[in-house]
């Protein structure tokens, strides 16, 4: 009982330590890669590792590791963790819940007096959201080699600052950036706990689920050319207004998603010259499409491409992540361990997906999100459910390090 209480106090303390970092006026968070906020989060992680006597290291991709035991002598080990960065105006739980829960579960295990049979680590993957440089899971992708280091260094943010420069400003040598075979070799199994980004658990009345896999998903850039002109003097019949085409493409994307039972979102648009009294010369929009299988997603994209072409536009693929299936034997084992926890697929990308694709046995735990809202200041999980997540993770460590 005493141990339980101590772990809850530590969970609350870690949660409140992070609460002020990168807080935006909206009440949400702005924690972008290689910024001052990111440095504060890295310092926090290092502090938690040191306070527990864990061995701290940073890999060549900029991810932080805190090892309990020597993974080179007695590994490979069990790795727990997630990311700490956010989308602009993101919620408090997406990412940090997985890192805080990992430290808390380690504390709980130690409180029980259990000594794991193999090394255990907490990891903090950098730049998971890709909110600044446009590529999601950049930290884990560079680590595994799925994202080329030269390409990563050249990625630029909205102000034109290359990632290499942002890294250097944050005190990290961008020349070091690259795949890290040594760090990868140390991972025997990876388990990422994450807030659910939907409301399946709320409907099932359960606090924790085990992930089965990640839907295939991708991002496409839509270019629609037009002709800039005066909003007051150009007759409607004489206009070449790409905004009209864009509106129709957005509606076409929605109709295609319904037709193919998939998801399609146009959440970002750039208008040139972006003046109230100017007919745009060009509109650039982005499509995010996901679905239960690749064929559905490709069908949506083909329909959107046809709509874009009808308006003189083009669609360019910026990223594609195929269907990811987590280790099914491991998922079934963990679901059984956690009282027949529900098994859920997700439409959201995670570092766990990148590691699974790299051939590492990987599992995910999801913690109930009562409204399902995510990537928003309104994202929420009840404290009791977060603690149920810590308990579940503690059981998982005990089971996988017996
Ligand atoms: Zn996340």
């Amino acid at each position: 009982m005493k141990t339980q209480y101590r772990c809850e106090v530590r969970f609350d303390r870690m949660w409140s330590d992070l609460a002020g970092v990168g807080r935006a006026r909206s009440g949400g968070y702005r924690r972008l890669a290689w910024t001052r906020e990111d440095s504060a989060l890295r310092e926090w992680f290092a502090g938690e590792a040191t306070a527990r006597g864990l061995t701290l290291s940073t890999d060549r991709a900029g991810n932080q590791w805190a090892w309990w035991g020597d993974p080179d002598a007695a590994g490979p080990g069990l790795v727990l963790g997630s990311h700490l960065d956010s989308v602009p105006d993101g919620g408090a739980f997406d990412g940090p819940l997985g890192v805080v829960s990992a430290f808390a579960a380690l504390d709980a295990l130690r409180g029980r007096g259990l000594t794991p049979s193999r090394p255990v680590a907490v990891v903090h993957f950098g730049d998971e959201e890709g909110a600044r440089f446009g590529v999601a899971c950049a930290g884990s992708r560079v680590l595994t080699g799925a994202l080329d280091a030269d390409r990563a260094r050249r990625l630029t943010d909205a102000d034109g600052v290359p990632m290499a420069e942002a890294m250097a400003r944050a005190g990290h040598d961008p020349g070091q950036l690259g795949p890290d075979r040594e760090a990868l070799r140390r991972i025997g199994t990876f388990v990422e706990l994450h807030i659910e980004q939907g409301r399946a658990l709320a409907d099932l009345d359960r606090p924790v689920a085990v992930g089965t896999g990640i839907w295939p998903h991708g991002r496409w850039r839509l270019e629609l050319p037009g002709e800039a002109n005066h909003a007051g003097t150009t007759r409607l019949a004489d206009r070449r207004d790409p905004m009209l085409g864009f509106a129709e493409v957005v509606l076409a994307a929605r109709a295609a998603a319904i037709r193919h039972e998939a998801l399609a979102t146009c959440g970002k648009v750039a208008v040139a010259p972006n003046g109230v009294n100017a007919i745009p010369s060009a509109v650039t929009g982005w499509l995010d499409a996901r679905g239960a299988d690749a064929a559905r997603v490709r069908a949506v994209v083909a329909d959107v491409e046809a709509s874009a072409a009808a308006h003189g536009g083009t669609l360019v693929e910026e990223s594609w992540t195929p269907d990811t299936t987590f280790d099914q034997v491991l998922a079934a084992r963990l679901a059984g361990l956690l009282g027949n926890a529900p098994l859920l697929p997700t439409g959201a990308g995670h570092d766990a997906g990148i590691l699974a694709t790299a051939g590492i046995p990987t599992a995910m735990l999801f913690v109930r999100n009562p409204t399902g809202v995510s990537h928003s200041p309104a994202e929420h999980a009840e404290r009791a459910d977060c603690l149920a997540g810590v308990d579940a993770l503690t059981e998982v460590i005990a089971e996988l390090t017996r």
Side-chain angles (χ1 to χ4, degrees):
M1 201 63 207
K2 225 174 182 177
T3 306
Q4 179 80 15
Y5 173 73
R6 212 162 45 225
C7 290
E8 290 182 13
V9 169
R10 285 193 184 168
F11 180 93
D12 291 341
R13 201 252 316 138
M14 286 188 274
W15 203 249
S16 72
D17 283 353
L18 288 173
V21 183
R23 193 101 198 229
R25 239 181 251 161
S26 61
Y29 287 90
R30 203 180 166 81
R31 296 164 168 169
L32 307 192
W34 307 114
T35 57
R36 210 168 15 160
E37 291 76 21
D38 189 54
S39 294
L41 294 164
R42 287 170 184 275
E43 246 171 69
W44 172 85
F45 184 91
E48 294 300 320
T50 308
R52 288 170 176 82
L54 307 173
T55 308
L56 181 73
S57 62
T58 302
D59 66 28
R60 295 188 57 199
N63 309 300
Q64 288 179 296
W65 304 80
W67 278 101
W68 178 19
D70 183 352
D72 298 322
L78 170 64
V79 178
L80 318 159
S82 191
H83 61 97
L84 294 172
D85 68 326
S86 77
V87 295
D89 273 330
F93 297 82
D94 178 353
L97 185 63
V99 179
V100 168
S101 297
F103 279 125
L106 222 69
D107 294 342
L109 196 78
R110 286 173 158 184
R112 286 189 199 174
L114 290 179
T115 308
S117 63
R118 57 174 171 157
V120 180
V122 180
V123 63
H124 158 212
F125 282 115
D127 199 6
E128 194 272 346
E129 299 289 5
R132 184 170 177 193
F133 298 102
V135 175
C137 300
S140 54
R141 281 186 210 265
V142 171
L143 169 69
T144 63
L147 171 61
D148 178 67
D150 280 331
R151 195 188 146 210
R153 274 187 283 263
R154 284 198 305 266
L155 292 170
T156 53
D157 69 7
D159 297 322
V161 178
M163 187 190 279
E165 194 182 322
M167 282 184 81
R169 278 189 209 164
H172 286 257
D173 176 10
Q176 280 288 311
L177 202 65
D180 195 326
R181 300 289 156 218
E182 196 176 50
L184 269 180
R185 209 176 38 233
R186 294 171 170 172
I187 318 170
T189 309
F190 177 54
V191 180
E192 179 171 6
L193 178 146
H194 203 279
I195 185 170
E196 192 196 351
Q197 294 169 292
R199 39 164 304 125
L201 280 174
D203 293 342
L204 292 166
D205 197 24
R206 294 286 297 261
V208 176
V210 175
T212 53
I214 300 175
W215 281 7
H217 56 278
R219 295 178 182 184
W220 290 263
R221 190 178 70 250
L222 169 70
E223 306 273 10
L224 287 161
E227 190 175 65
N229 215 329
H230 196 289
T233 58
T234 317
R235 293 187 312 173
L236 290 178
D238 295 338
R239 297 180 181 203
R240 274 187 63 219
D241 184 348
M243 192 63 97
L244 300 180
F246 180 65
E248 291 199 23
V249 174
V250 172
L251 294 173
R254 171 69 174 223
I258 293 170
R259 200 159 44 243
H260 302 295
E261 295 182 352
L263 298 171
T265 308
C266 297
K268 182 175 171 182
V269 59
V271 181
N274 208 21
V276 177
N277 55 356
I279 298 161
S281 60
V283 170
T284 306
W286 281 265
L287 168 74
D288 174 305
R290 307 169 190 235
D293 56 68
R296 289 168 203 273
V297 183
R298 293 294 180 190
V300 168
V301 173
D303 289 359
V304 172
E305 193 164 24
S307 171
H311 296 94
T314 54
L315 201 62
V316 179
E317 185 172 300
E318 288 198 330
S319 72
W320 169 251
T321 308
D323 170 50
T324 308
T325 306
F326 295 132
D327 187 319
Q328 298 300 290
V329 175
L330 180 61
R333 183 175 166 198
L334 299 191
L337 176 74
L338 303 174
N340 286 324
L343 288 160
L344 293 181
T346 178
H350 296 286
D351 294 309
I354 306 300
L355 294 198
T357 302
I360 293 166
T362 299
M364 286 196 80
L365 299 182
F366 295 120
V367 170
R368 173 165 52 195
N369 174 339
T371 61
V373 169
S374 185
H375 283 186
S376 150
E379 177 186 271
H380 181 71
E382 294 295 336
R383 179 173 176 272
D385 287 353
C386 294
L387 295 175
V390 173
D391 284 345
L393 204 54
T394 309
E395 293 307 323
V396 167
I397 308 174
E399 170 74 10
L400 297 181
T401 60
R402 268 195 304 173

